[in-house]
Amino acid sequence: MNTEVSGNPCGVCGEIRPEMFKHWFDGYIKLYRCLQCGFIAQYPGPGINTIQTDYEDAYSLDFVENGSEFMYPERSDAFQDIVNRICKIKSGGKILDIGCGDGHFLYLCSKKGFDCSGVDHSKALTSFATQKTGAEIIQGLYDLEMFPENHFDIITLIQVLEHIPEPAKALEIAKYHLKSDGLLVIEVPSIHAPHFLLYEWTGIKKFVKPPTGVIVSHCGYYSPKSLTTLTRKCGFNQLSVTTGRWQFKYSGTLGIIGKMIDPLLNLTRVGGILYFGTISI
Ligand SMILES: [Zn+2]
């Protein structure tokens, strides 16, 4: 029994019994696994006590001075893959990217004719993204008052959900803003990525050192199962869950290897998660 997490329900499934939280990581932060859904979150349990990062004054535009068009140019192929997958389901319409950052993803969406909107907490990135995409980008923390009900055809959270302390609340707001036939797209890092699995099997913490492992700015660590549990609880039906996508993570020879092993990563549910869902009827 773990009395330290008493009173803090799992942010995904709502489990509250202390004995259902198993200690998973003890370092500069503490993480616990919910035995009910597999969600792993910060000490002392996800919710009101979760350590949060304030992004309002975060990020600089140094990448512009360094001659880069966007902050993470190496992510371009992964973003384009998501755009292409959306285009197979929706040929156009209004898209909202929550936590849109520098607008890289929305920039690619606008090239395909989508009517783009974004929300981001960083003042610097909001200003940059507005200028870069010409889209409506709101600076602030995503909330219900920002947009009308039934407004968007597509809502995306790309590498964002893991930074949100109350993920269920965010998805319930997204459901309110989505049209009844709307599409929800989520990309998150996976707790079943190889380095996390190696830590789990060996207990060696160096496998999960920052910046790719356990980091304070991540409020929760998802598996395909816990992400499906969360989205279902928030009223979404899963269309697809793709894991791996290493072909978009690397370039050159590693990209070719990624393309070869992606089917295996997807089959074994290893590596980053891309979720597509619609509103349950
Ligand atoms: Zn849970």
Side-chain angles (χ1 to χ4, degrees), residues 136-255:
E136 178 200 12
I137 314 283
I138 298 176
Q139 189 269 323
L141 289 170
Y142 179 58
D143 74 30
L144 197 73
E145 311 302 322
M146 283 180 172
F147 305 101
E149 190 178 7
N150 296 324
H151 191 64
F152 292 104
D153 298 282
I154 305 130
I155 294 183
T156 56
L157 297 102
I158 300 173
Q159 304 287 327
V160 165
L161 200 67
E162 69 277 15
H163 296 266
I164 298 178
E166 295 179 278
K169 189 177 161 193
L171 293 187
E172 279 155 14
I173 297 172
K175 190 184 174 194
Y176 177 83
H177 291 146
L178 267 177
K179 293 178 184 174
S180 58
D181 63 345
L183 183 66
L184 176 72
V185 178
I186 299 169
E187 189 195 55
V188 283
S190 176
I191 200 69
H192 291 167
H195 57 303
F196 283 117
L197 291 173
L198 281 169
Y199 164 70
E200 197 160 298
W201 293 333
T202 64
I204 300 171
K205 284 183 188 163
K206 74 172 184 182
F207 287 124
V208 291
K209 65 183 182 185
T212 54
V214 173
I215 57 174
V216 171
S217 63
H218 284 185
C219 299
Y221 297 79
Y222 294 87
S223 65
K225 183 188 170 188
S226 60
L227 185 62
T228 299
T229 302
L230 175 69
T231 48
R232 192 180 294 140
K233 182 185 159 192
C234 296
F236 292 93
N237 268 335
Q238 181 179 312
L239 289 178
S240 65
V241 168
T242 311
T243 58
R245 297 170 68 244
W246 275 21
Q247 58 186 298
F248 307 114
K249 195 171 176 180
Y250 303 107
S251 56
T253 309
L254 285 175

Side-chain angles (χ1 to χ4, degrees), residues 59 63 68-77 79 101-102 104 125:
Y59 300 109
F63 62 92
S68 180
E69 195 178 9
F70 289 104
M71 187 181 278
Y72 304 112
E74 71 279 8
R75 288 275 293 148
S76 198
D77 288 349
F79 288 147
D102 62 359
H104 193 162
L125 294 186

Side-chain angles (χ1 to χ4, degrees), residues 10 12-15 34 36-39:
C10 171
V12 164
C13 73
E15 176 61 59
C34 168
Q36 187 68 251
C37 72
F39 186 53

Side-chain angles (χ1 to χ4, degrees), residues 44-55:
I48 54 168
N49 295 311
T50 302
I51 300 163
Q52 294 181 47
T53 305
D54 186 357
Y55 296 96

